[in-house]
Amino acid sequence: MAQATFRIWKGQGDSAGFKDFVTDATVGMVVLDAVHQIQAESDPTLACRWNCKAGKCGSCSAEINGNPRLMCMTRLDQLDLTVPVIIEPMKSFPHVRDLVTDVSWNFRVKKAIKPFKPRKPDAPDGTWRIQQQDVERVQEFRKCIECFLCQDVCHVLRDHHKHPEFAGPRHFVYTAALEMHPLDTENRLGQMKDAGGIGYCNITKCCTKVCPEHITITDNAIIPLKERVTDEYYDPITRFFKIFKTNQ
Amino acid sequence: MSEYQTHEHDVLVIGAGGAGLRAAIEASAAKVSVGLVCKSLLGKAHTVMAEGGIAAAMANVDDRDNWKVHFADTMRGGQYLNNWVMAELHAKEAPDRVKELEAWGALFDRTKDGRILQRNFGGHKYPRLAHVGDRTGLEMIRTLQDYGIHQGIEVYMEHTATTLLLDGGRVVGAFGYDRERGRFRVFKAKAIVLATGGIGRAFKITSNSWEYTGDGHALAYNAGADLMDMEFVQFHPTGMVWPPSVRGILVTEGVRGEGGRLLNNKGERFMFNDIPDLYKNQVAKDTEEGWRYVTGDKNANRPPELLTRDHVARCINREVKAGRGSPHGGVFLDIAWIKEKLPKAAEHIKKKLPSMYHQFKELANVDITQEAMEVGPTTHYVMGGVRVDGVTQMSTVPGLFAAGEVAAGLHGANRLGGNSLSDLVVFGKRAGEHAAAWAKSHGQGKVDAGQVESAAKWALAPFDRAGGENPYGVQHSLQDMMQDKVGIVRNDGDMAAAMDGLAVLRKRASAVGIDGNREYNPGWHTCLDLPNLLTVSEAVTRSALDRRESRGGHFREDFPDKSKEFSNHNTVVRKGPDGAMRLCRERIPEMRDDLKKVIEENK
Ligand SMILES: Cc1cc2nc3c(=O)[nH]c(=O)nc-3n(C[C@H](O)[C@H](O)[C@H](O)COP(=O)(O)OP(=O)(O)OC[C@H]3O[C@@H](n4cnc5c(N)ncnc54)[C@H](O)[C@@H]3O)c2cc1C
Ligand code: SF4
Ligand code: SF4
Ligand code: FES
């Protein structure tokens, strides 16, 4: 049976560093299996998050050989096992221990975004009529598993640490899902412009590349949001018509 | 005690899956203060993994559906051991709970006229499962989460409750630790709702995550509550079998709902060979009629692949044992064949089953639009759990409520697919409502410092045994044993051996040790989970030994048939005064006449 070396970020704070672990690599294994094997064989304290082991919960995010990925969906046979496989925690968030980071900031950002506000029901029984194609437009965004890999890769957060001023791609996807929800009546464009800092995004598309749910974050969520923000706040013609409309 | 951080709430909800979130929302709506504790991050609970859909008789696709048919289906599926009060409430209230999800932002797939679309599923007479492709659970938990965070609920993510605190038999709080720093916490509460999910980690091959160590079951049991129906564990017929590292991961029943057929290595559609009596009027005569059924012909009967899970799982098991299995010890599940019937079959499959397509492509190198999958049974769900009052969801311990998978009653001997997600919202809501009412009419009880101290001391003990056995070793031994001896096919000898094995494992568990510190230390967490796994494993084994018949999820090769003697009681276990587990048989209350009639009419 082949063996492989996993070079894993271990420890806390200043004393953290890489540590090598050797374990068996068997057919079909994913990186998360290797981490579990190491926990069972040599280091039960090795910390990581996981739940579903099937790419559905977005818990097991890490950087594998420098690429932000889900450990449960990264097969060992896609990696070069003749050299150590490097596993590190995400870099955009405060480190807790080993592969675990403090992602609580994301939950606070989401809470600050105005919630869903539906229009009045269409039918007397309190239900709505929605066409499948309108549902499908938004379903892409609703596939998000909140793995925060897009937040991890985005340079505005990772390198420029704009956490307080920039909501990040995950929350643009969230906002786009609400804004394009066929029943929603709220307006969050002001929030995106100001607190969300959508202007910081310079459309590098790195977030789209890492999204394990293959959400076209930049083209389908961020760019349309940016356009709407522009229309609403900067475009003189739209503004003129808006004033005109409210005066009527 | 003052040295531990203490939080005070009217209602404390333990668990943030569908049931816990729904309970917290309801309690909060009743204007009481609500705390919500969960082991993982918010939105990562098991509910997120649910695929196929949520069952509710909305009759959007087939107008013959109504609560009565849903009730009768649920009772038939549960082989009449269900708490019929719950089955009735569930069937009646599920449609409103689904519509409410839509009002909170959930976007289900639609019918042509713009209403919520419903799909076929095993044991449901009509298309009844509202769904979003094959990621219904994600839609549901995200909707509840995104709505819930604006309802003034205090959320404690990555906190584990280890002990319930009691004051003269009434529950008054919980003790636990935060995973990140390992600090102890005391939660004072007037009422507690358990919504901790299931016990699947007691078995080796399972679709369940690390969280499913039966914590809620054990918390309730140790607080003196009754556990009921623990012999009934659902082995889902279709888990992945290859490669080894994905063994057990679920393949949604939705595949069969869309027309997927089960084949043995002779290419035979073996499910047609064994139709149980209870269902013989409801099964297609041939493959043609089965196809008509899954494509919406109201006059057709279901294909046998859509019989209840217990039956399908046993048929698969039999094929494998008889040497007719697939290369890696499963059978073939084939959806690719529908290209004979549909022009754009590959697109259709990707659209209806996107995450299955993904899962097989990425984890097994199999393109399900072209090839058959290899599947076999996997531990999936526990029908048994905390015995509750059907209307209020209160357990036998005052102030302690339970909802969702941790509670028993709705599903009887076998759960129908889709009936869990609806269970979560129907009874999550009820538990939240009644817990809030209880909190309003009862003061904050007294938390006993002695109980807190002993809970803390117990939790720290594994560090004193540094160098002791690795907790994962004990966990794996337990999982191997339960899989082998108390799994899908059971008998007296194996289970008696399992009882002996449990005694040995208990000794080993009390000697496990862990190094390192308390901060995010999964080895330590596993040490503390082990006693819970052992408690639920004992409850399952004892209950299964006592039921000398086969029914629903419980199959005994030494008693392969249903027996009248066992047809009208539930198995209940509770902690005796000496600390040992006691078992008794509790008679099922006589069903109301009008409900009996409903069942007769739907035979
Ligand atoms: C892969 C898969 C697919 C499924 N598909 C379907 C389907 O299509 N339809 C259907 O109806 N059902 C389905 N089910 C079943 C259904 O998803 C589950 O039964 C249901 O989600 C359980 O919900 P719950 O709210 O009871 O618990 P969960 O969602 O599991 O939540 C349990 C919560 O309790 C917390 N918890 C546990 N122990 C503790 C503790 N000690 N301290 C603090 N918190 C704790 C956990 O952290 C978690 O937040 C599926 C299950 C699986 C595994
Ligand atoms: S496209 Fe925008 S949001 Fe995405 S990574 Fe680049 S800068 Fe960040
Ligand atoms: S948008 Fe994609 S990468 Fe970002 S959190 Fe969601 S699933 Fe993850
Ligand atoms: S464990 Fe759920 S996404 Fe990896």
Side-chain angles (χ1 to χ4, degrees):
Chain A
M1 203 179 294
Q3 292 211 310
T5 303
F6 294 85
R7 183 161 292 167
I8 303 179
W9 193 254
K10 254 307 273 179
Q12 292 162 285
D14 293 340
S15 63
F18 283 113
K19 188 168 170 202
D20 283 2
F21 298 92
V22 178
T23 191
D24 291 336
T26 51
V27 57
M29 245 169 91
V30 293
V31 170
L32 185 62
D33 293 317
V35 171
H36 284 162
Q37 244 167 247
I38 292 163
Q39 283 179 335
E41 293 163 3
S42 49
D43 187 354
T45 72
L46 177 58
C48 77
R49 287 197 180 98
W50 71 282
N51 283 74
C52 66
K53 219 176 158 298
K56 293 191 168 75
C57 73
S59 302
C60 65
S61 307
E63 298 188 4
I64 300 164
N65 291 338
N67 302 312
R69 305 219 35 166
L70 297 176
M71 291 193 279
C72 70
M73 296 303 278
T74 306
R75 289 167 56 124
L76 295 187
D77 58 17
Q78 298 163 345
L79 303 171
D80 178 2
L81 298 183
T82 60
V83 293
V85 176
I86 298 171
I87 317 178
E88 296 167 271
M90 290 192 283
K91 301 282 170 51
S92 284
F93 310 111
H95 188 223
V96 174
R97 199 183 128 165
D98 304 350
L99 299 174
V100 176
T101 56
D102 176 1
V103 293
S104 58
W105 171 75
N106 293 289
F107 292 87
R108 291 194 294 276
V109 174
K110 185 191 240 187
K111 201 169 168 176
I113 297 169
K114 289 190 216 160
F116 174 66
K117 194 167 126 196
R119 68 169 188 245
K120 289 229 154 54
D122 302 335
D125 67 349
T127 60
W128 288 268
R129 299 291 173 270
I130 313 172
Q131 288 313 304
Q132 180 67 19
Q133 77 243 34
D134 295 328
V135 167
E136 273 163 24
R137 252 200 301 281
V138 198
Q139 277 178 343
E140 176 186 11
F141 306 137
R142 297 183 68 90
K143 283 194 310 193
C144 170
I145 55 174
E146 302 201 325
C147 65
F148 307 128
L149 287 170
C150 55
Q151 307 284 77
D152 182 44
V153 80
C154 175
H155 68 104
V156 183
L157 296 171
R158 190 185 179 96
D159 302 327
H160 304 291
H161 311 289
K162 293 282 184 204
H163 292 71
E165 303 151 60
F166 181 68
R170 156 61 189 135
H171 298 106
F172 300 141
V173 169
Y174 174 65
T175 307
L178 287 168
E179 288 285 308
M180 297 178 208
H181 192 298
L183 305 183
D184 185 67
T185 57
E186 189 57 270
N187 183 331
R188 301 167 190 81
L189 297 175
Q191 277 198 319
M192 281 302 102
K193 177 169 91 61
D194 302 325
I198 197 167
Y200 282 114
C201 163
N202 56 345
I203 322 198
T204 58
K205 303 198 183 188
C206 311
C207 50
T208 303
K209 277 186 215 121
V210 300
C211 178
E213 284 294 310
H214 308 293
I215 301 171
T216 319
I217 304 175
T218 336
D219 290 1
N220 293 353
I222 299 181
I223 294 177
L225 272 183
K226 275 175 171 282
E227 282 170 1
R228 289 189 189 198
V229 168
T230 313
D231 286 352
E232 177 117 347
Y233 291 95
Y234 304 108
D235 183 340
I237 301 177
T238 333
R239 199 152 50 197
F240 173 77
F241 277 112
K242 264 181 101 169
I243 295 165
F244 186 68
K245 254 182 20 205
T246 39
N247 283 348
Q248 274 194 334
Chain B
M1 193 174 86
S2 51
E3 59 186 297
Y4 307 126
Q5 206 170 340
T6 302
H7 308 276
E8 200 168 318
H9 293 285
D10 293 319
V11 173
L12 181 74
V13 180
I14 303 178
L21 279 163
R22 188 63 191 81
I25 289 169
E26 196 63 19
S28 197
K31 305 262 181 307
V32 299
S33 112
V34 182
L36 177 62
V37 184
C38 54
K39 292 207 278 191
S40 291
L41 296 171
L42 197 57
K44 311 293 183 196
H46 247 80
T47 301
V48 81
M49 295 173 223
E51 295 164 357
I54 172 167
M58 296 187 290
N60 287 356
V61 171
D62 193 320
D63 57 14
R64 291 172 297 180
D65 203 11
N66 57 50
W67 76 264
K68 292 179 178 170
V69 191
H70 193 181
F71 169 78
D73 285 351
T74 302
M75 294 297 297
R76 187 187 307 108
Q79 311 256 340
Y80 305 104
L81 294 191
N82 324 50
N83 176 333
W84 48 265
V85 176
M86 288 172 79
E88 180 192 8
L89 291 171
H90 169 254
K92 284 184 169 162
E93 294 175 6
D96 282 343
R97 297 288 81 76
V98 172
K99 290 177 197 160
E100 173 180 85
L101 287 172
E102 180 153 280
W104 294 345
L107 274 175
F108 295 100
D109 286 348
R110 315 309 291 187
T111 60
K112 286 221 161 51
D113 64 350
R115 294 185 297 165
I116 295 173
L117 181 62
Q118 302 185 267
R119 70 156 50 119
N120 286 310
F121 236 57
H124 293 282
K125 185 154 185 202
Y126 301 120
R128 190 176 283 146
L129 269 69
H131 60 277
V132 185
D134 54 5
R135 55 161 193 86
T136 314
L138 171 64
E139 187 71 14
M140 180 162 144
I141 198 166
R142 203 64 86 229
T143 300
L144 291 169
Q145 173 190 348
D146 294 350
Y147 180 79
I149 56 176
H150 297 287
Q151 310 305 315
I153 299 159
E154 191 74 45
V155 182
Y156 305 87
M157 293 197 279
E158 300 201 303
H159 282 60
T160 302
T162 58
T163 315
L164 295 181
L165 304 168
L166 298 170
D167 178 9
R170 172 196 160 192
V171 73
V172 292
F175 175 86
Y177 60 90
D178 77 88
R179 302 171 66 80
E180 191 173 314
R181 301 279 166 226
R183 286 170 303 209
F184 291 136
R185 304 285 177 118
V186 174
F187 297 92
K188 290 187 178 176
K190 297 173 186 163
I192 290 190
V193 179
L194 291 172
T196 50
I199 66 158
R201 295 308 278 186
F203 295 83
K204 182 176 172 192
I205 300 174
T206 175
S207 65
N208 295 173
S209 84
W210 67 271
E211 293 202 307
Y212 268 24
T213 45
D215 296 6
H217 292 76
L219 286 170
Y221 171 82
N222 289 326
D226 288 358
L227 300 183
M228 187 173 93
D229 291 340
M230 290 300 288
E231 65 273 39
F232 296 113
V233 175
Q234 180 167 80
F235 299 92
H236 193 289
T238 58
M240 293 176 80
V241 298
W242 187 259
S245 72
V246 301
R247 192 162 191 136
I249 294 180
L250 193 77
V251 181
T252 175
E253 190 165 323
V255 176
R256 285 169 282 144
E258 297 295 337
R261 57 185 189 184
L262 289 166
L263 303 172
N264 60 22
N265 65 13
K266 302 195 157 43
E268 199 183 359
R269 200 161 168 183
F270 58 87
M271 287 303 302
F272 274 101
N273 303 341
D274 182 356
I275 313 286
D277 285 349
L278 265 181
Y279 287 90
K280 60 177 184 301
N281 298 332
Q282 298 194 5
V283 176
K285 299 182 300 300
D286 50 29
T287 57
E288 206 43 50
E289 183 179 350
W291 174 250
R292 283 196 283 119
Y293 175 88
V294 299
T295 47
D297 182 341
K298 292 187 180 172
N299 299 316
N301 280 316
R302 74 186 76 172
E305 277 87 355
L306 289 179
L307 285 164
T308 53
R309 291 176 175 178
D310 54 322
H311 175 73
V312 181
R314 273 194 302 278
C315 290
I316 293 177
N317 210 45
R318 192 182 51 214
E319 291 305 301
V320 176
K321 285 231 163 116
R324 295 190 293 269
S326 67
H328 302 103
V331 294
F332 296 103
L333 171 61
D334 179 21
I335 181 76
W337 80 279
I338 67 172
K339 61 181 173 244
E340 294 166 19
K341 301 280 183 185
L342 285 180
K344 286 196 176 142
E347 269 68 64
H348 179 79
I349 294 167
K350 283 189 212 168
K351 195 153 152 217
K352 285 289 178 186
L353 303 162
S355 64
M356 281 307 105
Y357 173 74
H358 224 73
Q359 183 174 312
F360 273 89
K361 191 98 191 148
E362 296 192 16
L363 294 174
N365 278 338
V366 168
D367 177 352
I368 66 168
T369 68
Q370 304 303 325
E371 313 158 65
M373 302 159 242
E374 271 190 76
V375 297
T378 181
T379 315
H380 186 54
Y381 185 89
V382 60
M383 275 66 78
V386 180
R387 185 181 182 204
V388 292
D389 174 78
V391 175
T392 65
Q393 299 287 290
M394 189 154 90
S395 70
T396 46
V397 172
L400 182 64
F401 298 75
E405 190 168 341
V406 69
L410 172 61
H411 310 293
N414 179 41
R415 172 180 74 94
L416 299 186
N419 267 1
S420 170
L421 292 186
S422 43
D423 173 8
L424 308 184
V425 278
V426 168
F427 294 105
K429 176 181 188 290
R430 285 187 162 269
E433 179 185 328
H434 290 280
W438 171 277
K440 283 180 182 167
S441 56
H442 291 78
Q444 197 76 256
K446 199 177 143 353
V447 169
D448 171 42
Q451 287 178 35
V452 172
E453 270 326 307
S454 67
K457 201 164 154 235
W458 172 81
L460 289 177
F463 288 108
D464 301 335
R465 299 188 294 258
E469 186 174 358
N470 179 336
Y472 292 100
V474 182
Q475 198 194 52
H476 293 168
S477 304
L478 173 68
Q479 291 164 339
D480 284 339
M481 185 188 82
M482 290 300 287
Q483 185 78 36
D484 201 37
K485 304 218 176 311
V486 200
I488 184 165
V489 176
R490 300 166 172 172
N491 65 52
D492 198 78
D494 279 354
M495 290 195 287
M499 287 303 295
D500 297 339
L502 283 169
V504 175
L505 285 162
R506 249 183 217 290
K507 281 222 179 68
R508 278 173 66 190
S510 61
V512 291
I514 186 72
D515 295 317
N517 62 24
R518 284 159 65 173
E519 302 192 3
Y520 224 108
N521 186 336
W524 179 39
H525 305 157
T526 303
C527 292
L528 302 186
D529 294 343
L530 273 177
N532 299 338
L533 275 177
L534 286 160
T535 299
V536 294
S537 298
E538 183 181 341
V540 170
T541 311
R542 267 188 202 284
S543 307
L545 269 167
D546 191 64
R547 187 169 283 279
R548 297 159 81 83
E549 66 158 353
S550 293
R551 183 184 294 269
H554 171 67
F555 182 78
R556 290 193 50 162
E557 56 192 357
D558 45 355
F559 300 95
D561 299 314
K562 254 192 303 215
S563 139
K564 194 134 185 35
E565 188 197 338
F566 289 88
S567 65
N568 54 14
H569 71 261
N570 298 108
T571 314
V572 168
V573 296
R574 68 175 71 96
K575 199 172 191 165
D578 57 350
M581 194 176 284
R582 293 285 155 80
L583 182 143
C584 61
R585 299 174 178 179
E586 293 277 345
R587 214 183 153 72
I588 298 171
E590 181 81 9
M591 194 186 292
R592 275 198 338 255
D593 286 341
D594 58 316
L595 294 178
K596 280 188 189 157
K597 211 169 127 232
V598 169
I599 287 180
E600 259 332 292
E601 285 164 3
N602 286 285
K603 271 261 155 80

